[in-house]
Amino acid sequence: MKHSYSFPILLTSLLFVTIALSALNTQVPLWLVREDFSLGQIGLVGSSYFTGNLLGTIMANWFISRFNARFTYTYSCIIFAIATIGLSFSMDFYSWAIWRFFIGIACAVTWVVIESCILVTGTVRTRGKMLAVYLTTYYLGTVLGQALLQYFPQDVLYFGLVITVLMGLAILFILLTHYKLPKKKKSSFNIMPMILYKPSRVGLIGCAIAGMLIGSLYSLMPAYYSHLGYTDNQVANWMVLLILSGVIAQMPANWCADKFGRRIVLLVESILMMFACSLLIFNVCGVLAIILLGSTIYTIYPISMAWACSCVRKQEIVSMNQAMLLTNTLGSLVAPAVIAFIMDKLSNTYLFISFAIISLYFVVLLLVKK
């Protein structure tokens, strides 16, 4: 009974964190553009955030064992708030990379706490539905963060104070829950066998590709539109359209994956993504291209997760979940820095050329693998 009402409270807390993160992920590249940072530096600042994600994913279970789930989540929110305010201390590359690194650690730990609470308390029949509601809440929070961005203060310090208020609300709600995660043996979190497990390899590659695409979108898409001369509100509107397309496509894409097979759906999505990138490269039908891009990119990760988890036993799902988050984070870490370097040396359109190349690789992989 405690967990029955703890779940919506947990999702409410997640909503505040996601709104703050979504607004910050879009605003940071815009601040850096105004300060005349190069695209390469913007990409590296984005990669520092995903480096924090990687470290937070690895250390999260130690924090949960050392403290409990609710206090680990609370401390992560406090770090998030302090690091955001820390951005206002100086506007140099190294300081911002460090603060974004700490924000990445805090976000990864909160995700592990939430997903672990869902996996532990859910049953075989309810776990899938709970994860679907969790992802929908996360993406809705992302959309709200973009929609509310125009009402946030533009000054870095005051922006950080608004984030602090949101983190305070997230802490308030998480302390109202009754989740207690069991302490696990260290061996139970050995994820290398999951990464090396051949039947789930394509699913893990899909998670890595999703990380590469989504990480590059968050890090570089605002800068791309800013360089085209769009205002901050217009950039936020394009991001809202992109993410909202992914929210709407979640249920239909997963229904099609269950009915027609995950491999077929991922193959169709990759081809549609290549088509959308072609439209964006030649600057044709921009709205349609963004809708197709959001609908495909944001649904690759959950379908790939389902593929990878279907290949392992129930007692290995938690370890597989960590392996998926790790590969997703590695993709998010590497891709923004590499693509930003290419864009800086060549042109902004190489953002979508890179996406098309990644999609083409996934198409070939899906056609070759049985």
Side-chain angles (χ1 to χ4, degrees):
M1 288 297 296
K2 288 180 179 179
H3 290 148
S4 65
Y5 68 79
S6 289
F7 183 58
I9 297 175
L10 178 71
L11 294 182
T12 304
S13 177
L14 170 69
L15 192 64
F16 289 117
V17 174
T18 309
I19 290 172
L21 176 63
S22 176
L24 188 63
N25 281 344
T26 298
Q27 193 61 53
V28 165
L30 296 177
W31 280 326
L32 295 176
V33 167
R34 287 186 201 135
E35 296 296 324
D36 295 326
F37 280 66
S38 67
L39 278 173
Q41 290 176 315
I42 294 173
L44 288 173
V45 171
S47 292
S48 70
Y49 165 78
F50 292 111
T51 304
N53 280 169
L54 179 63
L55 183 61
T57 301
I58 296 171
M59 298 180 62
N61 290 303
W62 181 86
F63 286 127
I64 293 171
S65 299
R66 182 72 173 81
F67 310 102
N68 58 40
R70 291 181 298 166
F71 285 119
T72 299
Y73 189 99
T74 299
Y75 297 148
S76 299
C77 290
I78 293 173
I79 292 173
F80 191 118
I82 293 174
T84 305
I85 294 177
L87 294 174
S88 64
F89 292 165
S90 61
M91 183 60 78
D92 66 272
F93 168 74
Y94 296 104
S95 296
W96 275 55
I98 291 171
W99 291 121
R100 288 290 282 167
F101 173 76
F102 282 111
I103 292 171
I105 293 176
C107 290
V109 173
T110 59
W111 296 332
V112 172
V113 170
I114 292 173
E115 292 175 7
S116 298
C117 289
I118 294 172
L119 288 169
V120 169
T121 59
T123 63
V124 175
R125 296 180 62 185
T126 62
R127 189 180 292 128
K129 296 177 182 178
M130 293 171 70
L131 285 171
V133 174
Y134 156 66
L135 284 173
T136 302
T137 303
Y138 178 82
Y139 288 132
L140 284 176
T142 304
V143 171
L144 284 173
Q146 299 299 316
L148 295 173
L149 184 60
Q150 58 183 314
Y151 303 107
F152 278 57
Q154 295 299 305
D155 183 80
V156 183
L157 177 60
Y158 294 123
F159 191 98
L161 294 177
V162 173
I163 297 295
T164 301
V165 172
L166 291 171
M167 290 299 111
L169 292 170
I171 292 171
L172 174 64
F173 277 89
I174 197 65
L175 293 178
L176 297 175
T177 64
H178 293 83
Y179 288 107
K180 290 183 180 180
L181 295 177
K183 292 185 178 181
K184 301 247 183 359
K185 295 179 180 179
K186 185 177 180 180
S187 60
S188 65
F189 291 109
N190 186 9
I191 61 177
M192 284 307 299
M194 299 294 101
I195 294 177
L196 299 176
Y197 189 50
K198 287 186 177 180
S200 62
R201 186 165 296 170
V202 177
L204 288 172
I205 292 174
C207 292
I209 287 175
M212 295 169 69
L213 297 172
I214 295 175
S216 300
L217 280 180
Y218 285 145
S219 299
L220 301 173
M221 196 76 155
Y224 170 81
Y225 279 118
S226 180
H227 283 164
L228 291 181
Y230 288 90
T231 65
D232 290 359
N233 289 340
Q234 290 173 324
V235 173
N237 290 335
W238 280 110
M239 295 300 291
V240 167
L241 178 62
L242 180 78
I243 300 166
L244 191 59
S245 301
V247 174
I248 296 172
Q250 286 297 315
M251 295 303 293
N254 283 279
W255 180 85
C256 290
D258 290 337
K259 185 173 179 61
F260 303 109
R262 300 182 182 99
R263 178 172 169 268
I264 296 297
V265 173
L266 288 174
L267 186 61
V268 172
E269 287 186 337
S270 300
I271 294 172
L272 287 175
M273 193 188 311
M274 292 171 61
F275 176 67
C277 290
S278 301
L279 294 178
L280 290 167
I281 289 169
F282 294 104
N283 198 22
V284 179
C285 301
V287 174
L288 174 62
I290 289 297
I291 291 173
L292 286 176
L293 195 67
S295 301
T296 52
I297 284 181
Y298 284 99
T299 52
I300 288 176
Y301 185 55
I303 295 174
S304 299
M305 284 178 65
W307 186 335
C309 285
S310 67
C311 302
V312 298
R313 296 172 297 176
K314 289 186 292 185
Q315 57 266 36
E316 295 172 332
I317 287 179
V318 174
S319 295
M320 178 55 74
N321 182 58
Q322 286 186 281
M324 291 184 295
L325 186 56
L326 181 63
T327 54
N328 182 266
T329 304
L330 284 172
S332 302
L333 169 64
V334 174
V338 175
I339 295 177
F341 177 79
I342 296 172
M343 291 170 64
D344 203 21
K345 296 297 181 182
L346 300 174
S347 73
N348 288 337
T349 55
Y350 275 83
L351 173 65
F352 304 114
I353 293 174
S354 302
F355 284 3
I357 294 172
I358 294 170
S359 303
L360 179 61
Y361 165 75
F362 203 29
V363 167
V364 173
L365 179 69
L366 292 167
L367 289 174
V368 171
K369 294 291 184 180
K370 299 298 182 183

